[in-house]
């Protein structure tokens, strides 16, 4: 096993990884930007290295600075967490060239899965169900017309290099195709430096269900079941759970999706923890969508239900150990639900709300897990994703997990910044959520269902809002350069 590992990440996942390293007697090295000098991860790590100014390009995305820190601190391996450099094949290669183990899959596998069209080709070759569409980028408009007609409208244009919904356009009618193709391609070019787009048949209100897998360097592969992540806002997951309510009613679906995920992983020569994303329709048909070649934000729900430690297995696998768990050893017990606590204001278009935390009371007690990167007095930087913490609850049943999570949300209090904590309590109370009727359009429906509960209070609130609006400064407009990427992105979203 490794003696020392560098964590090339920040926030709650930095803390999660440092905790795992300590549990296994491995020294941890944190890296930090100017904005994270006083972070919890820096306080908890054995060693800490300053990378540079707050912008990610000069800190957590800067391969040279991170490798320089890794060499100077003589680490055996680097854990990239999620986001930042975690799915960057050049980083994985640079680590290898420096003689440092990248805790993730081989660079070639990251590259192949990073292209959606190439991942689709691989899944098809493995014999897994894939959403009908094209496996090569579109060449021109006349080809696009022919393919769209063959698939049948509505269709979706997606960026080959994509992810996160960028460069994605729904096309309902032939006459909209030319404009949609232009928009999707130019958005993809701006976002990924690659304007290639391809088609998929549009699935209406599908569920997003993903399968967690683990593969070692000796050809052993297992799946750890699913996480349902249908509740998303602007392609950002909000609530995740295991089991999926669909699997509770149809347990054989887990086995079928697990087998499909393993076929793809075997075909890819996959090593490390990884996730296969699927869309599931109302008839429980499932289709491979894309693969994430990293530890996921929502991994705790799988850990709560299987009792396995995914970071432990990432470390063991990277160190060359064998998976000693067989598929038959994997058992799922009870239900777990997680919510992502963000520094954002649900009352104002979910605008990021960075700032100093003046007061913090964290929930605890039976069946809870809190993965947090904050403490009272910490200043949440505006330079990064405003995820503060993940709160997850386990219970013997889905109902009990929901009840526990609701209780924990009541105990949780954060002051000094806005958070989405109250928003979760509303979702958990929603009858559709309680019934497990989830889909990727859940939040759209939720916002309309969430009509005024008390008309008197609502009209008072409306009057107060109107007054506030008349006094308020004009809405800040997106600018370039001076405003952080996260804030600028949120403002663009609010103006959409
Ligand atoms: C789809 C789809 C319907 N049909 N593909 C959105 C982000 C990207 N990762 C995939 N996405 C979707 N792809 C086909 N063929 C619907 C979505 C989608 C979605 C998927 C997962 C979770 C939330 C979503 C919200 C809107 C659209």
């Amino acid at each position: 096993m490794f003696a020392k590992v560098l964590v090339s990440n920040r926030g709650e996942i930095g803390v999660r990884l440092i905790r795992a390293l300590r549990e296994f007697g491995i020294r941890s090295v944190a890296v930090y930007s100017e904005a994270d000098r006083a972070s919890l991860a820096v306080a908890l790590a054995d060693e800490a290295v300053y990378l540079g100014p707050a912008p990610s390009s000069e800190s957590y995305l800067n391969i040279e600075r991170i490798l320089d820190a890794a060499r100077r601190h003589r680490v055996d391996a680097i854990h990239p967490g999620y986001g930042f450099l975690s799915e960057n094949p050049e980083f994985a290669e640079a680590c290898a060239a420096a003689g440092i183990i990248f805790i993730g899959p081989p660079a070639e596998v990251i590259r192949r899965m990073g292209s959606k069209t190439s991942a689709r080709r691989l899944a098809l070759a493995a014999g897994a169900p894939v959403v009908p569409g094209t496996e090569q980028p579109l060449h021109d408009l006349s080809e696009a017309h022919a393919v769209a007609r063959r698939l049948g409208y509505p269709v979706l244009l997606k960026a080959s290099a994509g992810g996160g919904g960028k460069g994605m356009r729904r096309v309902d009618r032939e006459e909209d195709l030319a404009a949609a193709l232009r928009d999707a391609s130019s958005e993809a070019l701006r976002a990924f430096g690659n304007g290639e787009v391809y088609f998929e048949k549009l699935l209406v209100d599908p569920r997003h269900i993903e399968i967690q897998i683990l593969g070692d360097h000796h050809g052993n592969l297992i799946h750890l079941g699913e996480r349902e992540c249908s509740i998303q806002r602007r392609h950002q997951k909000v609530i995740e759970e295991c089991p999926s309510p669909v699997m509770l009613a149809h347990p054989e679906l887990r086995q079928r999706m697990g087998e499909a995920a393993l076929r793809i992983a075997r075909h890819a020569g996959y090593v490390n923890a990884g996730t296969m994303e699927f869309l599931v329709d109302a008839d429980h048909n499932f289709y491979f969508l894309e693969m994430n070649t990293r530890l996921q934000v929502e991994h705790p729900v799988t850990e709560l239900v299987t009792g396995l430690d995914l970071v432990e297995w990432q470390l063991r696998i990277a160190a060359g150990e064998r998976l000693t768990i067989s598929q038959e050893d994997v058992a799922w017990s009870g239900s777990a639900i997680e919510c992502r606590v963000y520094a954002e204001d649900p009352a104002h278009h979910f605008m990021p709300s960075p700032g100093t935390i003046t007061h913090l009371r964290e929930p605890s007690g039976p069946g809870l897990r809190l993965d947090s990167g904050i403490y009272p007095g910490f200043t949440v930087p505006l330079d990064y994703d405003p995820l503060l913490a993940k709160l997850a609850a386990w219970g013997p049943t889905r109902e009990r997990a929901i009840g526990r999570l609701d209780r924990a949300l009541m105990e949780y209090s954060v002051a000094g910044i806005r958070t989405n904590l109250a928003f979760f309590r509303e979702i958990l109370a929603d009858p559709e959520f309680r019934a497990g009727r989830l889909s990727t359009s859940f939040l759209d429906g939720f916002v309309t269902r969430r009509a005024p509960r008390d008309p008197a209070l609502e009209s008072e609130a409306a009057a107060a809002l109107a007054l506030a609006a008349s006094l308020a400064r004009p809405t800040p407009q997106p600018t370039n350069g001076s405003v952080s990427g996260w804030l600028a992105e949120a403002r663009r979203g609010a103006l959409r």
Side-chain angles (χ1 to χ4, degrees):
M1 190 35 85
F2 308 124
K4 202 196 272 191
V5 170
L6 183 143
V7 172
S8 61
N9 215 302
R10 61 174 306 282
E12 65 84 20
I13 196 65
V15 172
R16 161 77 180 96
L17 298 173
I18 290 161
R19 283 176 172 155
L21 293 170
R22 176 138 309 132
E23 288 177 20
F24 298 110
I26 301 168
R27 278 186 79 77
S28 57
V29 182
V31 291
Y32 62 95
S33 74
E34 189 61 52
D36 282 329
R37 280 188 184 281
S39 78
L40 197 53
V42 167
L44 293 178
D46 293 311
E47 301 168 25
V49 195
Y50 173 72
L51 286 177
S56 305
S57 58
E58 298 185 64
S59 50
Y60 304 104
L61 282 176
N62 194 300
I63 294 179
E64 262 328 299
R65 288 184 197 179
I66 289 168
L67 281 179
D68 190 51
R71 279 185 292 253
R72 279 190 287 123
H73 285 253
R74 306 189 172 286
V75 305
D76 305 303
I78 298 181
H79 197 308
Y82 54 70
F84 295 121
L85 295 170
S86 61
E87 293 182 287
N88 183 318
E90 282 82 41
F91 182 55
E93 278 163 354
C95 288
I100 295 163
I101 290 178
F102 172 78
I103 301 175
E108 263 326 296
V109 179
I110 302 179
R111 196 167 275 127
R112 187 157 345 134
M113 290 301 186
S115 156
K116 307 302 150 197
T117 38
S118 131
R120 284 168 60 79
R121 287 196 295 276
L122 193 137
L124 278 170
V130 172
V131 188
T134 56
E135 282 68 59
Q136 299 291 345
L138 294 163
H139 295 102
D140 51 47
L141 185 59
S142 72
E143 183 196 7
H145 272 297
V147 174
R149 206 166 304 150
R150 172 171 64 76
L151 290 171
Y153 290 90
V155 289
L156 260 186
L157 282 165
K158 291 190 177 185
S160 300
K166 278 225 181 73
M168 197 167 92
R169 286 287 183 288
R170 176 185 172 139
V171 192
D172 287 281
R173 303 170 311 168
E174 182 148 30
E175 48 271 43
D176 301 335
L177 182 54
L181 190 61
R182 230 177 305 127
D183 289 356
S185 180
S186 69
E187 190 174 313
L189 188 62
R190 252 179 295 125
F192 312 110
N194 174 351
E196 289 179 350
V197 294
Y198 70 100
F199 267 132
E200 278 181 22
K201 173 75 188 158
L202 179 95
L203 303 183
V204 179
D205 295 348
R207 288 172 177 257
H208 170 124
I209 300 179
E210 57 190 29
I211 301 284
Q212 176 70 53
I213 62 151
L214 282 175
D216 69 13
H217 284 285
H218 310 276
N220 300 301
L221 273 166
I222 59 171
H223 77 82
L224 304 186
E226 79 288 357
R227 291 181 290 260
E228 170 145 15
C229 314
S230 294
I231 302 190
Q232 308 204 0
R233 204 192 138 266
R234 293 184 192 285
H235 307 299
Q236 180 100 273
K237 292 167 186 163
V238 174
I239 293 181
E240 305 102 354
E241 55 183 302
C242 177
S244 159
V246 196
M247 264 67 162
L248 282 170
H250 306 271
E252 75 291 345
L253 186 59
R254 171 181 291 159
Q255 196 192 326
R256 291 201 290 127
M257 288 181 69
E259 281 166 8
L262 290 180
R263 273 200 296 278
I264 301 168
R266 204 165 289 124
H267 214 81
Y270 198 77
V271 175
N272 186 225
T275 300
M276 307 290 177
E277 294 187 2
F278 293 91
L279 293 180
V280 180
D281 71 16
D283 300 322
H284 307 145
N285 297 305
F286 60 89
Y287 305 91
F288 171 77
L289 197 60
E290 50 193 75
M291 178 175 193
N292 300 310
T293 56
R294 57 159 195 276
L295 182 72
Q296 303 241 153
V297 178
E298 59 272 23
H299 75 277
V301 296
T302 299
E303 297 187 326
L304 284 170
V305 168
T306 63
L308 297 168
D309 183 327
L310 284 164
V311 177
E312 170 184 1
W313 280 105
Q314 284 193 296
L315 293 166
R316 290 191 185 284
I317 288 165
E321 290 184 28
R322 285 175 179 276
L323 257 179
T324 50
I325 317 155
S326 70
Q327 191 62 61
E328 294 68 45
D329 297 331
V330 182
W332 294 267
S333 165
S335 273
I337 307 186
E338 173 182 278
C339 50
R340 297 193 185 185
V341 183
Y342 280 102
E344 64 181 19
D345 186 356
H348 294 97
H349 308 285
F350 295 86
M351 201 69 86
S353 173
T356 301
I357 293 166
T358 55
H359 155 93
L360 179 66
R361 184 182 60 214
E362 293 182 331
S364 62
L368 282 188
R369 170 169 173 178
L370 181 63
D371 285 53
S372 174
I374 60 171
Y375 62 85
F378 179 65
T379 299
V380 180
L382 51 68
D383 307 270
Y384 317 107
D385 181 313
L387 179 68
L388 300 172
K390 301 174 312 205
L391 177 62
W394 180 91
T397 63
R398 183 171 187 265
E399 276 227 301
R400 293 284 302 278
I402 293 173
R404 226 170 220 168
L405 188 53
D406 190 53
R407 180 270 291 174
L409 286 163
M410 245 168 110
E411 292 179 11
Y412 210 156
S413 110
V414 184
I417 56 171
R418 299 297 172 104
T419 74
N420 58 349
L421 281 168
F423 184 60
F424 290 117
R425 300 204 57 215
E426 293 189 42
I427 296 176
L428 297 189
D430 184 75
E432 293 297 303
F433 179 82
R434 291 267 169 172
R437 283 192 286 270
L438 311 181
S439 86
T440 50
S441 49
F442 175 89
L443 278 188
D444 306 331
F446 174 73
V447 171
T448 23
R449 271 198 306 286
R450 184 175 73 137
R453 275 134 312 194
D454 183 337
L457 276 179
E458 290 293 326
S459 64
E460 230 173 77
L465 264 181
L467 178 65
S470 71
L471 300 172
R473 283 168 293 165
T475 308
Q477 297 301 307
T479 59
N480 14 2
S482 63
V483 173
S484 88
W486 283 101
L487 208 49
E489 174 59 28
R491 285 177 183 165
R492 274 193 294 278
L495 297 170
R496 262 201 279 267

